Amino acid sequence: MSPSPKPAPLTTIFSLLALLTTAASTLASHESQHPISSSNSKSNTKPDWHNTPGLPFIINTWGGTFTSATNSAFHYLTSPPPVDSDSNPRLNAINAIVAGCSTCERLQCDGTVGYGGSPDESCETTLDALLMDGDTLDSGAVANLRRVRDAIAVAKLVLLYTRHSLLTGDQATGFAKENGFKEEDSGTRESRGVCEEWKREGCKTGSYRRNNVMGSGEGEGGGGGCGPYVPVPEKELGLDGGLGETKQLEAERSGHDTISMIAIGKDGRMAAGSSTNGASHKIPGRVGDGPIVGSGAYVDGEVGGCGATGDGDIMMRFLPCYQAVESLRRGMTPAEAAEDVVRRMVRKYPSVQSGIVVVDKDGNHGAAASGWTFTYAYRGGQMSEAVVVTVPPVEGVIPLSADL
């Protein structure tokens, strides 16, 4: 009969327990640093971010009068034209964007959408608009549209009846006239009065000129801030080459309140679009971010959509809405995707005014802003009216060494 094995010493047992505890702690630490690589969904401690009210769903930049656009677009999705009408049910989400943006064009929302606002240096109001389909990624847009007030409707014609993505200027006006739109003044007595007063005061605030000296001239401005403009020789532009963010006082900033909108139909089809009259006192011919795919708006029905508003000349350099939707694809929440985009812009332009609203394909939404307090409006599911959300500007700036 063989002897019974001796029990293990207590010191050995304690050593094994300590080793196992250390290994478990190391593994937990590794998983917390790399949550994407973990197959256990319970390891994700991110608070619940789902806030969809259900479909159909409309979301757009800004509250106030802009909620009229929210409600118009939502009404189209919930009460579309009858089947025997001239409309096509496949285009319900697109037509909802048209219904919403055209409402703001008619109401001249905040003076920054539609006719009679944001006159350029020559006192003319021009319009930009964009439409995009979430299934095909087809888009249609107009920019610097002159003497036609229905910008979003003309953008729809570009989308449906051309193979182009963008028409501009007088040629866009000609295209609109070919398709039955009337040519009329896009300015008003009030908008021209604002511009004329600006000229009488010497064009001293809100100018988009830089690296110029003022030559002698006659008439309003008297050769002062209203020109004529003489470019500073390139060799005299200094160590920065005349590039970089212009130092502009807060008081000089004018509105940039583009309406950018995303629609999700009952069938899950998505569309996005925008409409704006641009920036006040812009140089004639200027095209902002609004009609640029991926900047003013973007949508991919497999993932979600985005709308943007703010300093368009800066924002279009980042294609913020394309970036935000791709961040959704990579697993960010709508709020995270919006903040990521804003911080990318703030890193290069600390004082940029921006507002980004992001929604996934299920109607979960979020937003971020910089340089101002931003608002957005949404309505979905069984909601009886639009709700406005206030978004404070982001805090701090990400370091230059951050992995972007």
Side-chain angles (χ1 to χ4, degrees):
M1 182 175 179
S2 59
S4 301
K6 295 181 179 180
L10 289 176
T11 54
T12 302
I13 294 174
F14 290 149
S15 297
L16 288 172
L17 288 173
L19 180 62
L20 289 172
T21 301
T22 300
S25 299
T26 301
L27 180 60
S29 174
H30 177 80
E31 289 183 348
S32 67
Q33 294 176 30
H34 305 279
I36 295 177
S37 64
S38 174
S39 61
N40 182 5
S41 61
K42 293 183 180 179
S43 67
N44 188 353
T45 59
K46 184 185 299 184
D48 185 28
W49 49 270
H50 296 85
N51 58 2
T52 178
L55 304 184
F57 184 83
I58 295 290
I59 191 168
N60 57 264
T61 53
W62 303 112
T65 57
F66 290 77
T67 59
S68 296
T70 318
N71 290 325
S72 292
F74 185 79
H75 178 74
Y76 190 96
L77 289 180
T78 54
S79 303
V83 177
D84 59 352
S85 68
D86 291 335
S87 64
N88 186 329
R90 164 62 177 84
L91 304 177
N92 278 351
I94 289 171
N95 285 330
I97 298 292
V98 174
C101 288
S102 63
T103 295
C104 249
E105 290 174 351
R106 289 192 302 272
L107 295 177
Q108 302 170 276
C109 288
D110 203 33
T112 57
V113 180
Y115 71 97
S118 305
D120 62 20
E121 287 182 344
S122 64
C123 299
E124 181 181 4
T125 294
T126 57
L127 307 179
D128 299 339
L130 165 69
L131 269 176
M132 186 173 187
D133 176 59
D135 284 357
T136 63
L137 306 192
D138 283 3
S139 64
V142 289
N144 190 32
L145 178 66
R146 307 179 68 190
R147 304 180 302 279
V148 175
R149 296 186 174 189
D150 307 292
I152 195 69
V154 181
K156 178 182 173 181
L157 293 178
V158 178
L159 171 66
L160 294 183
Y161 300 111
T162 82
R163 294 169 58 196
H164 298 309
S165 292
L166 175 65
L167 299 181
T168 66
D170 281 332
Q171 288 79 9
T173 302
F175 174 78
K177 290 172 62 180
E178 287 176 9
N179 285 276
F181 287 88
K182 68 177 181 178
E183 187 172 359
E184 59 184 322
D185 189 359
S186 291
T188 61
R189 181 171 59 183
E190 290 76 15
S191 67
R192 285 187 290 272
V194 168
C195 180
E196 289 163 2
E197 179 66 21
W198 178 68
K199 287 188 173 185
R200 281 193 294 271
E201 294 178 352
C203 309
K204 294 178 181 178
T205 61
S207 174
Y208 285 87
R209 304 279 180 169
R210 69 176 182 181
N211 302 325
N212 287 279
V213 294
M214 306 306 163
S216 60
E218 299 178 356
E220 291 182 337
C226 298
Y229 304 98
V230 179
V232 174
E234 181 179 320
K235 64 181 180 181
E236 298 178 14
L237 290 179
L239 295 177
D240 63 1
L243 303 175
E245 186 173 20
T246 302
K247 304 298 185 295
Q248 190 176 33
L249 298 176
E250 289 291 332
E252 294 185 17
R253 285 182 165 172
S254 56
H256 304 271
D257 300 349
T258 301
I259 182 168
S260 295
M261 177 179 284
I262 305 101
I264 312 175
K266 295 178 181 178
D267 57 1
R269 290 190 187 277
M270 299 187 70
S274 69
S275 182
T276 181
N277 53 34
S280 293
H281 316 311
K282 58 185 174 284
I283 299 170
R286 180 258 194 186
V287 174
D289 64 322
I292 305 302
V293 173
S295 189
Y298 191 79
V299 62
D300 184 333
E302 296 178 354
V303 185
C306 167
T309 182
D311 289 335
D313 292 288
I314 291 176
M315 296 176 70
M316 66 195 302
R317 302 165 192 171
F318 295 84
L319 291 180
C321 277
Y322 174 79
Q323 177 67 56
V325 172
E326 288 306 302
S327 292
L328 284 181
R329 195 189 307 275
R330 290 168 44 228
M332 288 188 184
T333 69
E336 289 171 342
E339 182 171 343
D340 172 72
V341 163
V342 167
R343 290 190 179 277
R344 288 169 185 263
M345 295 186 288
V346 170
R347 172 186 166 187
K348 290 289 188 180
Y349 298 92
S351 64
V352 62
Q353 289 181 324
S354 70
I356 302 290
V357 61
V358 181
V359 60
D360 69 16
K361 63 182 180 179
D362 298 315
N364 299 297
H365 51 93
S370 64
W372 55 13
T373 297
F374 171 58
T375 61
Y376 71 91
Y378 73 92
R379 185 174 173 184
Q382 301 300 313
M383 293 173 61
S384 60
E385 61 182 8
V387 168
V388 176
V389 179
T390 300
V391 183
V394 297
E395 296 180 358
V397 180
I398 53 177
L400 292 177
S401 61
D403 182 11
L404 296 180

Short mmCIF file of all heavy atoms in Angstrom, two decimals, residues 178-201:
data_model
loop_
_atom_site.label_atom_id
_atom_site.label_comp_id
_atom_site.label_asym_id
_atom_site.label_seq_id
_atom_site.Cartn_x
_atom_site.Cartn_y
_atom_site.Cartn_z
N GLU A 178 -34.46 76.82 -67.93
CA GLU A 178 -34.82 75.77 -68.89
C GLU A 178 -35.89 74.85 -68.31
O GLU A 178 -36.68 74.27 -69.05
CB GLU A 178 -33.59 74.92 -69.24
CG GLU A 178 -32.57 75.60 -70.13
CD GLU A 178 -31.35 74.70 -70.33
OE1 GLU A 178 -31.41 73.52 -69.91
OE2 GLU A 178 -30.35 75.18 -70.88
N ASN A 179 -35.87 74.70 -67.00
CA ASN A 179 -36.78 73.77 -66.33
C ASN A 179 -37.96 74.47 -65.66
O ASN A 179 -38.59 73.91 -64.75
CB ASN A 179 -35.99 72.94 -65.32
CG ASN A 179 -35.13 71.87 -65.97
OD1 ASN A 179 -35.60 70.78 -66.29
ND2 ASN A 179 -33.87 72.21 -66.20
N GLY A 180 -38.25 75.68 -66.10
CA GLY A 180 -39.48 76.33 -65.71
C GLY A 180 -39.41 77.28 -64.54
O GLY A 180 -40.45 77.84 -64.13
N PHE A 181 -38.24 77.50 -63.95
CA PHE A 181 -38.14 78.45 -62.85
C PHE A 181 -38.03 79.87 -63.39
O PHE A 181 -37.35 80.11 -64.39
CB PHE A 181 -36.92 78.13 -61.97
CG PHE A 181 -37.11 76.91 -61.12
CD1 PHE A 181 -36.78 75.66 -61.63
CD2 PHE A 181 -37.62 76.99 -59.84
CE1 PHE A 181 -36.95 74.51 -60.87
CE2 PHE A 181 -37.81 75.86 -59.07
CZ PHE A 181 -37.47 74.61 -59.57
N LYS A 182 -38.66 80.79 -62.72
CA LYS A 182 -38.61 82.18 -63.19
C LYS A 182 -37.40 82.90 -62.63
O LYS A 182 -36.93 82.62 -61.52
CB LYS A 182 -39.89 82.92 -62.81
CG LYS A 182 -40.09 83.16 -61.33
CD LYS A 182 -41.37 83.99 -61.09
CE LYS A 182 -41.59 84.27 -59.61
NZ LYS A 182 -42.79 85.11 -59.37
N GLU A 183 -36.90 83.83 -63.40
CA GLU A 183 -35.78 84.64 -62.98
C GLU A 183 -36.31 85.90 -62.29
O GLU A 183 -37.14 86.60 -62.83
CB GLU A 183 -34.92 85.01 -64.18
CG GLU A 183 -33.62 85.71 -63.84
CD GLU A 183 -32.72 85.87 -65.06
OE1 GLU A 183 -33.12 85.40 -66.15
OE2 GLU A 183 -31.63 86.45 -64.91
N GLU A 184 -35.84 86.16 -61.08
CA GLU A 184 -36.27 87.33 -60.32
C GLU A 184 -35.16 87.73 -59.36
O GLU A 184 -34.24 86.97 -59.07
CB GLU A 184 -37.56 87.04 -59.55
CG GLU A 184 -37.44 85.88 -58.57
CD GLU A 184 -38.77 85.57 -57.89
OE1 GLU A 184 -39.50 86.51 -57.57
OE2 GLU A 184 -39.06 84.38 -57.69
N ASP A 185 -35.25 88.92 -58.86
CA ASP A 185 -34.24 89.43 -57.94
C ASP A 185 -34.25 88.62 -56.65
O ASP A 185 -35.29 88.44 -56.02
CB ASP A 185 -34.54 90.90 -57.65
CG ASP A 185 -33.44 91.59 -56.86
OD1 ASP A 185 -32.44 90.92 -56.53
OD2 ASP A 185 -33.58 92.80 -56.59
N SER A 186 -33.08 88.11 -56.25
CA SER A 186 -32.98 87.36 -55.00
C SER A 186 -32.70 88.27 -53.81
O SER A 186 -32.66 87.81 -52.67
CB SER A 186 -31.89 86.29 -55.10
OG SER A 186 -32.28 85.27 -56.00
N GLY A 187 -32.49 89.55 -54.08
CA GLY A 187 -32.31 90.51 -53.01
C GLY A 187 -33.61 91.19 -52.65
O GLY A 187 -34.64 90.99 -53.31
N THR A 188 -33.59 91.97 -51.60
CA THR A 188 -34.75 92.76 -51.19
C THR A 188 -34.27 94.18 -50.88
O THR A 188 -33.07 94.44 -50.79
CB THR A 188 -35.41 92.17 -49.93
OG1 THR A 188 -34.46 92.19 -48.86
CG2 THR A 188 -35.89 90.75 -50.17
N ARG A 189 -35.22 95.05 -50.69
CA ARG A 189 -34.86 96.41 -50.34
C ARG A 189 -34.07 96.43 -49.03
O ARG A 189 -33.10 97.18 -48.87
CB ARG A 189 -36.12 97.27 -50.20
CG ARG A 189 -35.84 98.73 -49.86
CD ARG A 189 -37.11 99.55 -49.96
NE ARG A 189 -38.15 99.04 -49.05
CZ ARG A 189 -39.38 99.54 -48.99
NH1 ARG A 189 -39.73 100.54 -49.81
NH2 ARG A 189 -40.26 99.05 -48.16
N GLU A 190 -34.46 95.55 -48.11
CA GLU A 190 -33.76 95.50 -46.82
C GLU A 190 -32.33 95.00 -46.99
O GLU A 190 -31.39 95.56 -46.40
CB GLU A 190 -34.51 94.58 -45.85
CG GLU A 190 -35.84 95.13 -45.36
CD GLU A 190 -36.94 95.02 -46.42
OE1 GLU A 190 -36.75 94.28 -47.43
OE2 GLU A 190 -37.99 95.67 -46.24
N SER A 191 -32.12 93.94 -47.77
CA SER A 191 -30.77 93.40 -47.92
C SER A 191 -29.86 94.39 -48.65
O SER A 191 -28.69 94.54 -48.29
CB SER A 191 -30.81 92.06 -48.67
OG SER A 191 -31.23 92.22 -50.02
N ARG A 192 -30.40 95.07 -49.64
CA ARG A 192 -29.58 96.07 -50.33
C ARG A 192 -29.27 97.25 -49.41
O ARG A 192 -28.18 97.82 -49.47
CB ARG A 192 -30.29 96.54 -51.61
CG ARG A 192 -30.24 95.50 -52.73
CD ARG A 192 -30.81 96.06 -54.02
NE ARG A 192 -32.26 96.24 -53.93
CZ ARG A 192 -33.14 95.29 -54.21
NH1 ARG A 192 -32.72 94.10 -54.60
NH2 ARG A 192 -34.44 95.51 -54.12
N GLY A 193 -30.23 97.59 -48.54
CA GLY A 193 -29.99 98.67 -47.59
C GLY A 193 -28.87 98.34 -46.63
O GLY A 193 -28.03 99.20 -46.31
N VAL A 194 -28.84 97.10 -46.14
CA VAL A 194 -27.77 96.66 -45.25
C VAL A 194 -26.42 96.77 -45.94
O VAL A 194 -25.43 97.25 -45.36
CB VAL A 194 -28.03 95.22 -44.78
CG1 VAL A 194 -26.79 94.64 -44.09
CG2 VAL A 194 -29.23 95.16 -43.85
N CYS A 195 -26.38 96.34 -47.19
CA CYS A 195 -25.12 96.37 -47.93
C CYS A 195 -24.67 97.81 -48.20
O CYS A 195 -23.48 98.15 -48.07
CB CYS A 195 -25.30 95.62 -49.25
SG CYS A 195 -23.81 95.58 -50.27
N GLU A 196 -25.60 98.67 -48.57
CA GLU A 196 -25.25 100.05 -48.87
C GLU A 196 -24.75 100.77 -47.61
O GLU A 196 -23.82 101.58 -47.67
CB GLU A 196 -26.45 100.76 -49.47
CG GLU A 196 -26.75 100.29 -50.90
CD GLU A 196 -28.15 100.66 -51.37
OE1 GLU A 196 -28.87 101.33 -50.60
OE2 GLU A 196 -28.51 100.29 -52.50
N GLU A 197 -25.34 100.46 -46.46
CA GLU A 197 -24.87 101.03 -45.21
C GLU A 197 -23.46 100.55 -44.90
O GLU A 197 -22.61 101.32 -44.43
CB GLU A 197 -25.83 100.65 -44.08
CG GLU A 197 -25.43 101.17 -42.71
CD GLU A 197 -25.48 102.69 -42.61
OE1 GLU A 197 -26.17 103.34 -43.44
OE2 GLU A 197 -24.81 103.23 -41.71
N TRP A 198 -23.21 99.29 -45.14
CA TRP A 198 -21.87 98.71 -44.95
C TRP A 198 -20.85 99.45 -45.81
O TRP A 198 -19.73 99.75 -45.36
CB TRP A 198 -21.92 97.22 -45.30
CG TRP A 198 -20.62 96.49 -45.20
CD1 TRP A 198 -19.91 96.21 -44.07
CD2 TRP A 198 -19.89 95.92 -46.29
NE1 TRP A 198 -18.78 95.49 -44.38
CE2 TRP A 198 -18.74 95.30 -45.73
CE3 TRP A 198 -20.09 95.84 -47.66
CZ2 TRP A 198 -17.80 94.63 -46.51
CZ3 TRP A 198 -19.15 95.18 -48.45
CH2 TRP A 198 -18.02 94.58 -47.88
N LYS A 199 -21.22 99.76 -47.03
CA LYS A 199 -20.30 100.49 -47.91
C LYS A 199 -20.09 101.91 -47.44
O LYS A 199 -18.96 102.44 -47.48
CB LYS A 199 -20.84 100.48 -49.34
CG LYS A 199 -20.72 99.14 -50.05
CD LYS A 199 -21.09 99.26 -51.51
CE LYS A 199 -20.80 97.98 -52.26
NZ LYS A 199 -21.05 98.12 -53.72
N ARG A 200 -21.16 102.56 -46.99
CA ARG A 200 -21.02 103.94 -46.51
C ARG A 200 -20.08 104.02 -45.31
O ARG A 200 -19.39 105.03 -45.11
CB ARG A 200 -22.40 104.51 -46.14
CG ARG A 200 -23.22 104.98 -47.33
CD ARG A 200 -24.41 105.81 -46.89
NE ARG A 200 -25.38 105.04 -46.12
CZ ARG A 200 -26.39 104.36 -46.66
NH1 ARG A 200 -26.56 104.35 -47.99
NH2 ARG A 200 -27.23 103.69 -45.89
N GLU A 201 -20.04 102.94 -44.53
CA GLU A 201 -19.16 102.91 -43.36
C GLU A 201 -17.75 102.42 -43.71
O GLU A 201 -16.93 102.19 -42.82
CB GLU A 201 -19.77 102.02 -42.28
CG GLU A 201 -21.07 102.59 -41.71
CD GLU A 201 -21.69 101.68 -40.67
OE1 GLU A 201 -21.19 100.54 -40.50
OE2 GLU A 201 -22.68 102.10 -40.03
#
